Amino acid sequence: MNNITGNPAFALELNELTVRYGPGCPSCGESPESLDRNRCPVCGSVWAVRGVSLRAREGETLGIVGESGSGKSTLMRALHLDEAPTSGAYFLDGGEENLFGVSPRRRRYIRDSLLGMVYQNPYLGLRMFFSSGANVAEKLIAAGSRNVRGMTERAEYLFRYMEIPFSRVKEPPRNFSGGMQQRVQIAKAVANNPPVLLLDEVTTGLDLSVQARVLDLIKRVQREFGVTMIVVSHDLAVVRLLADRTAVMRDGVIIEQGLTDRILEDPRHVYTQTLVNSML
Amino acid sequence: MLKIKELSKEFIMHIQGGVRITSFSGVSLEVGGGSLLAVTGPSGIGKSSLLKCVYGTYRPTSGSVLYESGSGGTIDLAAADDWELLALRRAEIGYVSQFFHVLPRVSATEILTEPLIARGVPADEAGETARALLRRVGLDRALWEMYPATFSGGEKQRLNILRAVVTRPRLLLLDEPTASLDRGYKGRVIDLLLEIKSSGAAMLGVFHDRDALSALADSRYDMEAGRLLPAGGGATR
Ligand SMILES: Nc1ncnc2c1ncn2[C@@H]1O[C@H](COP(=O)(O)OP(=O)(O)OP(=O)(O)O)[C@@H](O)[C@H]1O
Ligand SMILES: [Mg+2]
Ligand SMILES: [Zn+2]
């Protein structure tokens, strides 16, 4: 496996990502089969993500499914450079630089300009007591915008695109419904036209009709922004709707990945078969 | 254009005690450009599975599916990686599934324009192509901007066929494309498929009815017999 530089064919490439919470010990370090699910019975460390490798081509959507606690959010935080992983290498656009090893300043630049993230919990992605407009402006400023007029126009465009009445731009997201909060998060995440968009359970917990509207919006962004997307969901139906390829995660490990229709219709792993069979 | 050699598919059902189910085995056949090979045999013999193995929805257990791609070079679809399959599906392989999976909240017209726009066709031209096709298979104009979720079986099926042919694929996989159509609409669909065939596409199809079979098929592979049989007769029961 090429760990020094990314493969130019891929817009996003993750090699052997491991995130361990806790000190680790010889037992779990040398024999992962001794783990109890993702936890080491000897030292108590949690191996939230273990040896995960992913690739996505430009404009492609990769779905990640798995049950609660399988490590999906941890993986997404690592991809957004929110926390340093235990080990692994991460490249964008076939670049030479392992993004896990860059300076804090460079990390900030990558997060602000090359990545967009939408969190399951809008409190993680938005400043709830700032105006919605300020939330988007903050992201634009972070990527170097200084022109107030330009920023206002961009915010106006994004709000219209996300079907949020511009008259509500001065209101803080805390006043909004769950679906609207997610749409503000999406506006903020795509504000700088990042090549990579990370979506973690964006529709979980929303009413079905609200969910449908957010999903339609994501489909539109997918089509019209040409962005490479990683979509995490515990719901196979969401992934079926959005993803070209799908990876199945369990206990921190990817147990199976492939074309989404193949994962749904020809699942090989016992866990994937169970998951597909439990679909409505 | 398509050469299938000793193809087999087996499923292992882990949640049912690891039973092995052989879907089909030892299928060898060839389809040339500008011709249609019909696949026949009784229900459950593995006709749909065979098509899915070609399209990549199923990973064959053994054998090969050699496809001469339009971009040059022969590729074994049974061993192709995800990205090769995605690119071929986008550019040159069409598939009409037996059951139409509607995308929620996408209108009939959009279902047809989207793949064209994704390939760089200007929106107005894509719209024209879509409308011409909708007219051609006689889909009621009132339905063009509606969501297909509420369409009848026959309406859905005509749309399903159009979705696969709108990009003019070089290889077209057809799984009972005329099953729920009445005579008039069936004729229109057959005409359309004949035109696509005569433009040089290779077609592999499962047919429910004799009319379609005799109008479209140049040769016939019977999965029960495991070999080529005379093209006439032998529609799926
Ligand atoms: N900071 C942390 N310290 C210790 N353990 C953690 C920490 N963060 C996550 N974990 C553990 O890592 C594992 C993966 O958690 P994660 O939140 O990534 O799961 P998830 O797949 O996103 O679940 P859900 O579907 O419920 O959101 C869990 O066992 C969790 O308890
Ligand atoms: Mg999570
Ligand atoms: Zn340990």
Side-chain angles (χ1 to χ4, degrees), chain A residues 10 55-57 60 212 215-216 219 223 240-241 244-245 257-259 261-262 265-270 273-274 277, chain B residues 9 11-16 52 55-60 77 80 82-83 85-86 89-90 101 103-105 110 114:
Chain A
F10 296 100
R55 295 164 158 209
R57 291 246 164 117
E60 174 179 303
L215 288 172
D216 287 351
K219 278 207 78 81
R223 263 200 324 269
R240 170 161 73 184
L241 189 69
D244 303 298
R245 299 181 60 255
Q257 60 178 316
L259 296 172
D261 54 319
R262 183 179 288 174
E265 295 194 43
D266 189 12
R268 317 195 121 210
H269 193 282
V270 55
Q273 292 186 354
T274 311
N277 270 280
Chain B
K9 176 60 182 169
F11 293 98
I12 305 173
M13 316 298 275
H14 294 292
I15 53 177
Q16 272 113 35
K52 287 183 183 184
Y55 195 59
T57 299
Y58 292 168
R59 176 68 92 186
L77 301 178
D82 294 350
W83 294 284
L85 287 168
L86 284 171
R89 287 178 181 187
R90 222 168 280 134
H101 302 287
L103 280 174
R105 303 171 305 281
E110 279 175 314
E114 262 177 32

Short mmCIF file of all heavy atoms in Angstrom, two decimals, chain A residues 10 55-57 60 212 215-216 219 223 240-241 244-245 257-259 261-262 265-270 273-274 277, chain B residues 9 11-16 52 55-60 77 80 82-83 85-86 89-90 101 103-105 110 114:
data_model
loop_
_atom_site.label_atom_id
_atom_site.label_comp_id
_atom_site.label_asym_id
_atom_site.label_seq_id
_atom_site.Cartn_x
_atom_site.Cartn_y
_atom_site.Cartn_z
N PHE A 10 -7.58 9.18 -7.15
CA PHE A 10 -8.59 9.34 -6.11
C PHE A 10 -8.63 10.74 -5.51
O PHE A 10 -7.60 11.33 -5.22
CB PHE A 10 -8.37 8.30 -5.01
CG PHE A 10 -8.57 6.90 -5.52
CD1 PHE A 10 -7.48 6.10 -5.86
CD2 PHE A 10 -9.84 6.40 -5.74
CE1 PHE A 10 -7.67 4.82 -6.38
CE2 PHE A 10 -10.04 5.13 -6.26
CZ PHE A 10 -8.95 4.34 -6.58
N ARG A 55 -11.36 4.85 -0.37
CA ARG A 55 -11.00 5.66 -1.52
C ARG A 55 -12.26 6.15 -2.20
O ARG A 55 -13.25 5.42 -2.27
CB ARG A 55 -10.25 4.80 -2.54
CG ARG A 55 -8.95 4.35 -2.00
CD ARG A 55 -8.37 3.23 -2.79
NE ARG A 55 -6.94 3.24 -2.52
CZ ARG A 55 -6.03 2.83 -3.37
NH1 ARG A 55 -6.37 2.34 -4.54
NH2 ARG A 55 -4.77 2.89 -3.05
N ALA A 56 -12.20 7.36 -2.70
CA ALA A 56 -13.32 7.88 -3.48
C ALA A 56 -12.79 8.70 -4.63
O ALA A 56 -11.84 9.47 -4.48
CB ALA A 56 -14.24 8.73 -2.60
N ARG A 57 -13.41 8.52 -5.78
CA ARG A 57 -13.06 9.32 -6.95
C ARG A 57 -13.78 10.65 -6.89
O ARG A 57 -14.80 10.79 -6.21
CB ARG A 57 -13.51 8.58 -8.22
CG ARG A 57 -12.70 7.34 -8.49
CD ARG A 57 -11.90 7.51 -9.76
NE ARG A 57 -10.87 6.50 -9.83
CZ ARG A 57 -10.79 5.56 -10.78
NH1 ARG A 57 -11.69 5.53 -11.73
NH2 ARG A 57 -9.83 4.68 -10.77
N GLU A 60 -17.72 11.38 -6.61
CA GLU A 60 -18.38 10.16 -6.19
C GLU A 60 -18.90 10.30 -4.76
O GLU A 60 -18.38 11.07 -3.97
CB GLU A 60 -17.33 9.04 -6.24
CG GLU A 60 -17.76 7.71 -5.70
CD GLU A 60 -16.61 6.70 -5.84
OE1 GLU A 60 -16.14 6.49 -6.98
OE2 GLU A 60 -16.19 6.15 -4.82
N ALA A 212 -36.96 13.83 3.94
CA ALA A 212 -37.03 13.78 2.48
C ALA A 212 -36.52 15.08 1.88
O ALA A 212 -35.76 15.07 0.91
CB ALA A 212 -38.47 13.53 2.04
N LEU A 215 -32.74 15.27 2.20
CA LEU A 215 -32.10 14.33 1.26
C LEU A 215 -32.16 14.86 -0.16
O LEU A 215 -31.18 14.74 -0.91
CB LEU A 215 -32.78 12.95 1.35
CG LEU A 215 -32.49 12.16 2.63
CD1 LEU A 215 -33.35 10.90 2.68
CD2 LEU A 215 -31.01 11.79 2.72
N ASP A 216 -33.29 15.43 -0.54
CA ASP A 216 -33.41 16.01 -1.88
C ASP A 216 -32.38 17.11 -2.08
O ASP A 216 -31.77 17.24 -3.14
CB ASP A 216 -34.81 16.58 -2.11
CG ASP A 216 -35.84 15.47 -2.30
OD1 ASP A 216 -35.42 14.30 -2.41
OD2 ASP A 216 -37.05 15.77 -2.30
N LYS A 219 -29.03 15.62 -2.62
CA LYS A 219 -28.94 15.10 -4.00
C LYS A 219 -28.65 16.23 -4.98
O LYS A 219 -27.89 16.08 -5.92
CB LYS A 219 -30.24 14.40 -4.41
CG LYS A 219 -30.35 12.98 -3.91
CD LYS A 219 -31.24 12.13 -4.80
CE LYS A 219 -30.54 11.68 -6.06
NZ LYS A 219 -29.69 10.53 -5.90
N ARG A 223 -25.36 16.71 -7.37
CA ARG A 223 -25.41 16.90 -8.82
C ARG A 223 -24.76 18.19 -9.26
O ARG A 223 -24.01 18.22 -10.21
CB ARG A 223 -26.88 16.98 -9.24
CG ARG A 223 -27.47 15.72 -9.74
CD ARG A 223 -28.73 15.94 -10.58
NE ARG A 223 -29.60 17.01 -10.16
CZ ARG A 223 -30.61 16.87 -9.31
NH1 ARG A 223 -30.87 15.69 -8.77
NH2 ARG A 223 -31.37 17.90 -8.99
N ARG A 240 -28.65 3.99 0.04
CA ARG A 240 -29.09 3.53 -1.28
C ARG A 240 -29.46 4.71 -2.18
O ARG A 240 -29.19 4.72 -3.37
CB ARG A 240 -30.30 2.60 -1.14
CG ARG A 240 -30.92 2.32 -2.52
CD ARG A 240 -31.78 1.10 -2.53
NE ARG A 240 -33.02 1.34 -1.83
CZ ARG A 240 -33.93 0.41 -1.61
NH1 ARG A 240 -33.72 -0.82 -2.02
NH2 ARG A 240 -35.03 0.70 -0.99
N LEU A 241 -30.05 5.71 -1.56
CA LEU A 241 -30.47 6.88 -2.31
C LEU A 241 -29.28 7.72 -2.78
O LEU A 241 -29.30 8.29 -3.86
CB LEU A 241 -31.38 7.74 -1.42
CG LEU A 241 -32.10 8.89 -2.09
CD1 LEU A 241 -33.15 8.36 -3.04
CD2 LEU A 241 -32.73 9.79 -1.04
N ASP A 244 -22.79 5.88 -4.47
CA ASP A 244 -22.36 5.01 -5.56
C ASP A 244 -21.75 3.74 -4.99
O ASP A 244 -21.96 2.65 -5.49
CB ASP A 244 -21.26 5.70 -6.40
CG ASP A 244 -21.72 7.02 -6.95
OD1 ASP A 244 -22.68 7.01 -7.72
OD2 ASP A 244 -21.13 8.07 -6.59
N ARG A 245 -20.93 3.93 -3.94
CA ARG A 245 -20.29 2.80 -3.30
C ARG A 245 -20.59 2.88 -1.81
O ARG A 245 -20.84 3.95 -1.28
CB ARG A 245 -18.77 2.85 -3.51
CG ARG A 245 -18.36 2.78 -4.98
CD ARG A 245 -16.85 2.80 -5.17
NE ARG A 245 -16.23 1.68 -4.51
CZ ARG A 245 -15.55 1.72 -3.37
NH1 ARG A 245 -15.35 2.87 -2.76
NH2 ARG A 245 -15.05 0.63 -2.84
N GLN A 257 -16.95 -3.69 1.49
CA GLN A 257 -17.30 -2.49 0.75
C GLN A 257 -17.41 -2.79 -0.73
O GLN A 257 -16.82 -3.73 -1.22
CB GLN A 257 -16.34 -1.32 1.02
CG GLN A 257 -14.90 -1.56 0.69
CD GLN A 257 -14.06 -0.30 0.97
OE1 GLN A 257 -14.45 0.81 0.65
NE2 GLN A 257 -12.90 -0.49 1.60
N GLY A 258 -18.21 -2.01 -1.42
CA GLY A 258 -18.40 -2.25 -2.85
C GLY A 258 -19.50 -1.37 -3.41
O GLY A 258 -20.01 -0.48 -2.73
N LEU A 259 -19.90 -1.66 -4.66
CA LEU A 259 -20.99 -0.92 -5.29
C LEU A 259 -22.21 -1.02 -4.39
O LEU A 259 -22.52 -2.09 -3.86
CB LEU A 259 -21.32 -1.54 -6.65
CG LEU A 259 -20.23 -1.47 -7.71
CD1 LEU A 259 -20.63 -2.29 -8.94
CD2 LEU A 259 -19.99 -0.02 -8.11
N ASP A 261 -25.39 -1.15 -4.99
CA ASP A 261 -26.38 -2.17 -5.36
C ASP A 261 -25.87 -3.57 -5.04
O ASP A 261 -26.64 -4.45 -4.68
CB ASP A 261 -26.82 -2.05 -6.84
CG ASP A 261 -25.67 -2.05 -7.83
OD1 ASP A 261 -24.65 -1.41 -7.55
OD2 ASP A 261 -25.79 -2.68 -8.89
N ARG A 262 -24.55 -3.75 -5.13
CA ARG A 262 -24.02 -5.06 -4.79
C ARG A 262 -24.07 -5.33 -3.29
O ARG A 262 -24.41 -6.44 -2.86
CB ARG A 262 -22.58 -5.18 -5.30
CG ARG A 262 -22.00 -6.54 -5.05
CD ARG A 262 -20.60 -6.66 -5.58
NE ARG A 262 -20.55 -6.71 -7.03
CZ ARG A 262 -19.42 -6.72 -7.73
NH1 ARG A 262 -18.27 -6.65 -7.09
NH2 ARG A 262 -19.44 -6.79 -9.03
N GLU A 265 -27.73 -6.19 -2.69
CA GLU A 265 -28.31 -7.37 -3.32
C GLU A 265 -27.44 -8.63 -3.24
O GLU A 265 -27.93 -9.73 -3.41
CB GLU A 265 -28.65 -7.07 -4.78
CG GLU A 265 -29.73 -6.00 -4.90
CD GLU A 265 -30.30 -5.94 -6.30
OE1 GLU A 265 -30.55 -7.00 -6.90
OE2 GLU A 265 -30.48 -4.82 -6.81
N ASP A 266 -26.14 -8.44 -3.01
CA ASP A 266 -25.26 -9.59 -2.92
C ASP A 266 -24.29 -9.41 -1.75
O ASP A 266 -23.08 -9.45 -1.92
CB ASP A 266 -24.49 -9.75 -4.25
CG ASP A 266 -23.69 -11.05 -4.34
OD1 ASP A 266 -23.89 -11.94 -3.49
OD2 ASP A 266 -22.86 -11.16 -5.26
N PRO A 267 -24.86 -9.20 -0.54
CA PRO A 267 -23.98 -9.01 0.62
C PRO A 267 -23.31 -10.32 0.98
O PRO A 267 -23.92 -11.37 0.88
CB PRO A 267 -24.96 -8.57 1.71
CG PRO A 267 -26.27 -9.16 1.32
CD PRO A 267 -26.29 -9.23 -0.18
N ARG A 268 -22.04 -10.26 1.37
CA ARG A 268 -21.32 -11.50 1.62
C ARG A 268 -21.11 -11.77 3.09
O ARG A 268 -21.08 -12.91 3.51
CB ARG A 268 -19.95 -11.41 0.97
CG ARG A 268 -20.16 -10.80 -0.36
CD ARG A 268 -19.04 -10.93 -1.26
NE ARG A 268 -19.58 -11.63 -2.40
CZ ARG A 268 -18.89 -12.43 -3.15
NH1 ARG A 268 -17.63 -12.66 -2.89
NH2 ARG A 268 -19.44 -13.01 -4.17
N HIS A 269 -20.91 -10.71 3.84
CA HIS A 269 -20.59 -10.90 5.24
C HIS A 269 -21.87 -11.14 6.03
O HIS A 269 -22.91 -10.58 5.73
CB HIS A 269 -19.88 -9.64 5.74
CG HIS A 269 -19.22 -9.82 7.07
ND1 HIS A 269 -19.92 -9.79 8.25
CD2 HIS A 269 -17.94 -10.03 7.40
CE1 HIS A 269 -19.08 -9.97 9.25
NE2 HIS A 269 -17.88 -10.13 8.76
N VAL A 270 -21.77 -11.98 7.04
CA VAL A 270 -22.95 -12.32 7.83
C VAL A 270 -23.61 -11.06 8.40
O VAL A 270 -24.83 -10.91 8.40
CB VAL A 270 -22.62 -13.34 8.94
CG1 VAL A 270 -21.50 -12.86 9.84
CG2 VAL A 270 -23.87 -13.66 9.78
N GLN A 273 -25.47 -9.20 5.68
CA GLN A 273 -26.71 -9.93 5.37
C GLN A 273 -27.79 -9.65 6.41
O GLN A 273 -28.95 -9.46 6.08
CB GLN A 273 -26.42 -11.43 5.26
CG GLN A 273 -25.55 -11.76 4.05
CD GLN A 273 -25.36 -13.26 3.83
OE1 GLN A 273 -25.79 -14.09 4.63
NE2 GLN A 273 -24.71 -13.60 2.73
N THR A 274 -27.39 -9.60 7.66
CA THR A 274 -28.35 -9.29 8.72
C THR A 274 -28.92 -7.88 8.54
O THR A 274 -30.12 -7.65 8.64
CB THR A 274 -27.67 -9.38 10.11
OG1 THR A 274 -26.96 -10.60 10.17
CG2 THR A 274 -28.69 -9.31 11.23
N ASN A 277 -31.26 -7.70 5.61
CA ASN A 277 -32.50 -8.38 5.92
C ASN A 277 -33.39 -7.63 6.89
O ASN A 277 -34.59 -7.88 6.95
CB ASN A 277 -32.20 -9.78 6.48
CG ASN A 277 -32.13 -10.78 5.37
OD1 ASN A 277 -33.15 -11.25 4.88
ND2 ASN A 277 -30.92 -11.07 4.93
N LYS B 9 -22.88 -18.67 -10.35
CA LYS B 9 -23.13 -17.83 -9.19
C LYS B 9 -23.73 -18.65 -8.06
O LYS B 9 -24.73 -19.34 -8.24
CB LYS B 9 -24.09 -16.68 -9.56
CG LYS B 9 -24.47 -15.80 -8.39
CD LYS B 9 -23.29 -15.13 -7.74
CE LYS B 9 -23.68 -14.29 -6.53
NZ LYS B 9 -22.49 -13.88 -5.77
N PHE B 11 -24.72 -18.36 -3.83
CA PHE B 11 -24.88 -17.48 -2.66
C PHE B 11 -24.66 -18.30 -1.40
O PHE B 11 -25.09 -19.45 -1.33
CB PHE B 11 -26.30 -16.91 -2.59
CG PHE B 11 -26.62 -15.95 -3.71
CD1 PHE B 11 -27.31 -16.40 -4.83
CD2 PHE B 11 -26.23 -14.63 -3.64
CE1 PHE B 11 -27.61 -15.53 -5.87
CE2 PHE B 11 -26.52 -13.75 -4.67
CZ PHE B 11 -27.21 -14.20 -5.78
N ILE B 12 -24.03 -17.71 -0.42
CA ILE B 12 -23.91 -18.36 0.89
C ILE B 12 -24.74 -17.54 1.87
O ILE B 12 -24.46 -16.37 2.11
CB ILE B 12 -22.44 -18.42 1.35
CG1 ILE B 12 -21.60 -19.12 0.28
CG2 ILE B 12 -22.34 -19.16 2.69
CD1 ILE B 12 -20.11 -19.10 0.55
N MET B 13 -25.78 -18.17 2.38
CA MET B 13 -26.70 -17.45 3.28
C MET B 13 -26.27 -17.68 4.72
O MET B 13 -26.67 -18.66 5.34
CB MET B 13 -28.14 -17.95 3.07
CG MET B 13 -28.55 -18.13 1.61
SD MET B 13 -28.51 -16.58 0.69
CE MET B 13 -30.13 -15.97 1.11
N HIS B 14 -25.46 -16.75 5.22
CA HIS B 14 -24.91 -16.94 6.57
C HIS B 14 -25.98 -16.93 7.64
O HIS B 14 -25.85 -17.60 8.65
CB HIS B 14 -23.89 -15.84 6.87
CG HIS B 14 -22.68 -15.93 6.02
ND1 HIS B 14 -21.77 -16.95 6.12
CD2 HIS B 14 -22.23 -15.14 5.02
CE1 HIS B 14 -20.81 -16.78 5.24
NE2 HIS B 14 -21.07 -15.69 4.54
N ILE B 15 -27.03 -16.14 7.42
CA ILE B 15 -28.02 -16.07 8.49
C ILE B 15 -29.03 -17.21 8.43
O ILE B 15 -29.89 -17.31 9.27
CB ILE B 15 -28.73 -14.70 8.56
CG1 ILE B 15 -29.33 -14.33 7.22
CG2 ILE B 15 -27.76 -13.62 9.00
CD1 ILE B 15 -30.11 -13.03 7.27
N GLN B 16 -28.91 -18.05 7.39
CA GLN B 16 -29.74 -19.25 7.37
C GLN B 16 -28.84 -20.49 7.50
O GLN B 16 -28.90 -21.42 6.70
CB GLN B 16 -30.57 -19.33 6.09
CG GLN B 16 -31.90 -18.60 6.19
CD GLN B 16 -31.97 -17.38 5.30
OE1 GLN B 16 -31.42 -17.37 4.22
NE2 GLN B 16 -32.65 -16.35 5.76
N LYS B 52 -27.66 -9.83 -13.73
CA LYS B 52 -27.04 -9.05 -12.66
C LYS B 52 -25.54 -9.33 -12.55
O LYS B 52 -24.78 -8.46 -12.13
CB LYS B 52 -27.74 -9.34 -11.32
CG LYS B 52 -29.11 -8.69 -11.26
CD LYS B 52 -29.79 -8.91 -9.93
CE LYS B 52 -31.19 -8.28 -9.99
NZ LYS B 52 -31.88 -8.35 -8.71
N TYR B 55 -24.06 -7.07 -15.16
CA TYR B 55 -24.14 -5.65 -14.78
C TYR B 55 -23.24 -5.32 -13.58
O TYR B 55 -22.88 -4.18 -13.34
CB TYR B 55 -25.58 -5.28 -14.46
CG TYR B 55 -25.85 -3.79 -14.42
CD1 TYR B 55 -25.63 -3.00 -15.53
CD2 TYR B 55 -26.35 -3.20 -13.26
CE1 TYR B 55 -25.89 -1.63 -15.49
CE2 TYR B 55 -26.63 -1.83 -13.22
CZ TYR B 55 -26.39 -1.05 -14.34
OH TYR B 55 -26.65 0.29 -14.31
N GLY B 56 -22.90 -6.34 -12.80
CA GLY B 56 -22.03 -6.11 -11.65
C GLY B 56 -22.76 -6.01 -10.33
O GLY B 56 -22.14 -5.80 -9.29
N THR B 57 -24.08 -6.17 -10.36
CA THR B 57 -24.84 -6.14 -9.10
C THR B 57 -24.52 -7.40 -8.28
O THR B 57 -24.46 -7.35 -7.06
CB THR B 57 -26.34 -6.03 -9.40
OG1 THR B 57 -26.56 -4.81 -10.10
CG2 THR B 57 -27.17 -6.05 -8.14
N TYR B 58 -24.32 -8.51 -8.98
CA TYR B 58 -23.82 -9.72 -8.32
C TYR B 58 -22.38 -9.95 -8.75
O TYR B 58 -22.06 -9.74 -9.92
CB TYR B 58 -24.63 -10.96 -8.73
CG TYR B 58 -26.06 -11.01 -8.27
CD1 TYR B 58 -26.93 -11.96 -8.81
CD2 TYR B 58 -26.55 -10.14 -7.29
CE1 TYR B 58 -28.25 -12.04 -8.40
CE2 TYR B 58 -27.87 -10.22 -6.87
CZ TYR B 58 -28.72 -11.17 -7.43
OH TYR B 58 -30.03 -11.25 -7.04
N ARG B 59 -21.56 -10.40 -7.84
CA ARG B 59 -20.21 -10.81 -8.18
C ARG B 59 -20.25 -12.30 -8.50
O ARG B 59 -20.59 -13.10 -7.63
CB ARG B 59 -19.29 -10.53 -6.99
CG ARG B 59 -17.87 -11.00 -7.17
CD ARG B 59 -17.11 -10.22 -8.22
NE ARG B 59 -16.39 -9.08 -7.67
CZ ARG B 59 -15.75 -8.20 -8.43
NH1 ARG B 59 -15.75 -8.31 -9.76
NH2 ARG B 59 -15.10 -7.20 -7.88
N PRO B 60 -19.93 -12.68 -9.74
CA PRO B 60 -19.98 -14.10 -10.09
C PRO B 60 -19.02 -14.91 -9.21
O PRO B 60 -18.00 -14.39 -8.78
CB PRO B 60 -19.52 -14.13 -11.55
CG PRO B 60 -19.73 -12.75 -12.06
CD PRO B 60 -19.55 -11.85 -10.89
N LEU B 77 -15.85 -8.29 -16.83
CA LEU B 77 -16.77 -7.66 -15.89
C LEU B 77 -16.88 -8.45 -14.59
O LEU B 77 -17.27 -7.91 -13.56
CB LEU B 77 -18.16 -7.50 -16.52
CG LEU B 77 -18.22 -6.67 -17.81
CD1 LEU B 77 -19.65 -6.65 -18.36
CD2 LEU B 77 -17.74 -5.25 -17.57
N ALA B 80 -13.91 -6.93 -12.74
CA ALA B 80 -13.67 -5.48 -12.81
C ALA B 80 -13.84 -4.84 -11.44
O ALA B 80 -14.62 -5.32 -10.61
CB ALA B 80 -14.66 -4.85 -13.79
N ASP B 82 -14.87 -1.64 -8.80
CA ASP B 82 -16.07 -0.82 -8.69
C ASP B 82 -16.04 0.37 -9.64
O ASP B 82 -17.04 0.73 -10.24
CB ASP B 82 -16.21 -0.27 -7.26
CG ASP B 82 -16.45 -1.37 -6.25
OD1 ASP B 82 -16.71 -2.52 -6.67
OD2 ASP B 82 -16.39 -1.08 -5.04
N TRP B 83 -14.87 0.97 -9.77
CA TRP B 83 -14.80 2.21 -10.56
C TRP B 83 -14.91 1.92 -12.05
O TRP B 83 -15.48 2.70 -12.78
CB TRP B 83 -13.53 2.99 -10.19
CG TRP B 83 -13.62 3.46 -8.78
CD1 TRP B 83 -14.37 4.51 -8.34
CD2 TRP B 83 -13.02 2.88 -7.63
NE1 TRP B 83 -14.25 4.62 -6.96
CE2 TRP B 83 -13.43 3.65 -6.51
CE3 TRP B 83 -12.16 1.80 -7.42
CZ2 TRP B 83 -13.01 3.35 -5.21
CZ3 TRP B 83 -11.74 1.52 -6.14
CH2 TRP B 83 -12.18 2.29 -5.04
N LEU B 85 -16.65 -0.55 -13.25
CA LEU B 85 -18.07 -0.85 -13.47
C LEU B 85 -18.90 0.43 -13.48
O LEU B 85 -19.77 0.61 -14.33
CB LEU B 85 -18.59 -1.82 -12.40
CG LEU B 85 -18.11 -3.27 -12.56
CD1 LEU B 85 -18.42 -4.08 -11.31
CD2 LEU B 85 -18.74 -3.93 -13.78
N LEU B 86 -18.62 1.33 -12.56
CA LEU B 86 -19.38 2.59 -12.51
C LEU B 86 -19.19 3.37 -13.81
O LEU B 86 -20.14 3.90 -14.37
CB LEU B 86 -18.93 3.45 -11.33
CG LEU B 86 -19.42 3.02 -9.93
CD1 LEU B 86 -18.73 3.83 -8.84
CD2 LEU B 86 -20.94 3.17 -9.82
N ARG B 89 -21.12 1.65 -16.63
CA ARG B 89 -22.56 1.88 -16.48
C ARG B 89 -22.93 3.28 -16.91
O ARG B 89 -23.97 3.49 -17.51
CB ARG B 89 -22.96 1.70 -15.01
CG ARG B 89 -22.96 0.27 -14.55
CD ARG B 89 -23.31 0.24 -13.08
NE ARG B 89 -23.31 -1.11 -12.54
CZ ARG B 89 -23.72 -1.39 -11.32
NH1 ARG B 89 -24.16 -0.43 -10.53
NH2 ARG B 89 -23.70 -2.63 -10.88
N ARG B 90 -22.09 4.22 -16.57
CA ARG B 90 -22.38 5.60 -16.92
C ARG B 90 -22.30 5.78 -18.43
O ARG B 90 -23.10 6.48 -19.03
CB ARG B 90 -21.36 6.52 -16.24
CG ARG B 90 -21.97 7.77 -15.66
CD ARG B 90 -20.97 8.48 -14.76
NE ARG B 90 -20.87 7.88 -13.44
CZ ARG B 90 -19.72 7.62 -12.82
NH1 ARG B 90 -18.56 7.87 -13.39
NH2 ARG B 90 -19.73 7.10 -11.61
N HIS B 101 -37.22 0.26 -9.53
CA HIS B 101 -37.04 0.96 -8.25
C HIS B 101 -37.19 2.44 -8.53
O HIS B 101 -36.31 3.04 -9.12
CB HIS B 101 -35.64 0.72 -7.70
CG HIS B 101 -35.33 -0.73 -7.50
ND1 HIS B 101 -35.88 -1.47 -6.49
CD2 HIS B 101 -34.52 -1.56 -8.18
CE1 HIS B 101 -35.42 -2.70 -6.56
NE2 HIS B 101 -34.61 -2.79 -7.58
N LEU B 103 -36.95 6.25 -7.91
CA LEU B 103 -36.29 7.21 -7.04
C LEU B 103 -37.37 8.13 -6.52
O LEU B 103 -38.17 8.63 -7.30
CB LEU B 103 -35.28 8.02 -7.84
CG LEU B 103 -33.96 7.34 -8.09
CD1 LEU B 103 -33.11 8.18 -9.02
CD2 LEU B 103 -33.23 7.12 -6.77
N PRO B 104 -37.42 8.34 -5.23
CA PRO B 104 -38.47 9.21 -4.72
C PRO B 104 -38.32 10.65 -5.22
O PRO B 104 -37.20 11.15 -5.35
CB PRO B 104 -38.29 9.14 -3.20
CG PRO B 104 -36.92 8.61 -2.97
CD PRO B 104 -36.56 7.81 -4.17
N ARG B 105 -39.43 11.25 -5.49
CA ARG B 105 -39.48 12.67 -5.80
C ARG B 105 -38.58 13.12 -6.95
O ARG B 105 -37.94 14.14 -6.90
CB ARG B 105 -39.16 13.49 -4.55
CG ARG B 105 -40.10 13.19 -3.38
CD ARG B 105 -39.66 13.84 -2.10
NE ARG B 105 -38.29 13.50 -1.72
CZ ARG B 105 -37.94 12.37 -1.15
NH1 ARG B 105 -38.84 11.46 -0.87
NH2 ARG B 105 -36.69 12.13 -0.84
N GLU B 110 -37.23 14.17 -15.46
CA GLU B 110 -35.91 14.29 -14.82
C GLU B 110 -35.16 12.96 -14.78
O GLU B 110 -33.93 12.94 -14.89
CB GLU B 110 -36.06 14.79 -13.39
CG GLU B 110 -36.24 16.28 -13.27
CD GLU B 110 -36.51 16.67 -11.82
OE1 GLU B 110 -37.34 15.99 -11.17
OE2 GLU B 110 -35.89 17.62 -11.36
N GLU B 114 -31.47 13.49 -16.30
CA GLU B 114 -30.32 13.47 -15.40
C GLU B 114 -29.10 12.75 -15.96
O GLU B 114 -28.01 13.31 -15.96
CB GLU B 114 -30.70 12.89 -14.04
CG GLU B 114 -31.01 13.97 -13.04
CD GLU B 114 -31.45 13.42 -11.70
OE1 GLU B 114 -30.99 12.33 -11.32
OE2 GLU B 114 -32.27 14.09 -11.04
#
